[in-house]
Amino acid sequence: MKASSRLAAAGVLAGTAVLALSAPALAHVTVQPEGEAAKGGYAVVDFRVPNESDTASTVKLEVSFPMDTPLASAMPEPVPGWTAKVTKAELDKPLELHGQKIDEAISKITWTATGKGVQPGFFQKFPVAMGALPEDADQLVFKAVQTYSDDEVARWIEVQQEGQEEPEKPAPVLTLSDAEDGHGHGSEASEEASGEPSDDASRAAATTNADAADSDSSDTTARVLGVVGIVVGAIGVAYGVLAGRRRTTT
């Protein structure tokens, strides 16, 4: 019994330690791609907002976009119970996208709760389709401001400095992958934006056509075999009838 009690106590302490270590990471406002975010492409990313308060709900989220690596397009996905407002700003140096010059970029997206918001003990995802992602950057740093129903404000705006410990209120960081490694939702978002099918879509179409051709071939073979079976069966029946008549005559 004593050994069991010690094991149980050790398990509780270990679990508490794990929760204590993981709590700060879970409490941060973060940004994660759905799949990969490839340089020069498009991606769908999720801004994940946990609620740190025990008594108040998160009712507003403001995400500022980097203007040193501007993005020409950002389309938030509708989130039930929230409204989204996209703000743009003029660029000192226009961007070139799909052969067109873009003189403004996304500067901020603001989500405002129309209901109870993110209640204590819960988190909320805010998906955004964005691009074209910069080709000359390894990451994008967004600054987020989280507002609670009791007017408390959490500013996730501190930039991580190389070689230093993580700041108390780190800004969300989106890591960009090399262009040749961009697959998944990034290619799907690029296809939607450009109107042209991605390589994955083309391969899927080719596979579908091949499957359809195989299916047609199988159906034809089955029909031929069925007809042959009927003919063979008819010959067998006729042979049986003739044989019976011969025995009766004899």
Side-chain angles (χ1 to χ4, degrees), residues 120-176:
F122 292 86
F123 85 101
Q124 179 66 57
K125 292 193 300 183
F126 297 91
V128 179
M130 61 176 61
L133 302 175
E135 298 179 357
D136 55 354
D138 295 325
Q139 63 181 23
L140 294 177
V141 179
F142 301 86
K143 295 185 177 182
V145 177
Q146 181 180 11
T147 303
Y148 289 88
S149 56
D150 59 1
D151 294 330
E152 182 182 349
V153 177
R155 302 181 184 277
W156 306 95
I157 61 175
E158 299 178 76
V159 180
Q160 174 73 53
Q161 301 298 324
E162 186 176 356
Q164 297 184 12
E165 294 183 358
E166 184 181 54
E168 183 180 356
K169 297 289 184 180
V173 177
L174 176 65
T175 301
L176 304 181

Side-chain angles (χ1 to χ4, degrees), residues 103-124:
D103 57 4
E104 59 182 9
I106 307 300
S107 61
K108 181 188 294 185
I109 297 182
T110 303
W111 287 271
T112 305
T114 57
K116 296 181 179 179
V118 186
Q119 300 182 61
F122 292 86
F123 85 101
Q124 179 66 57

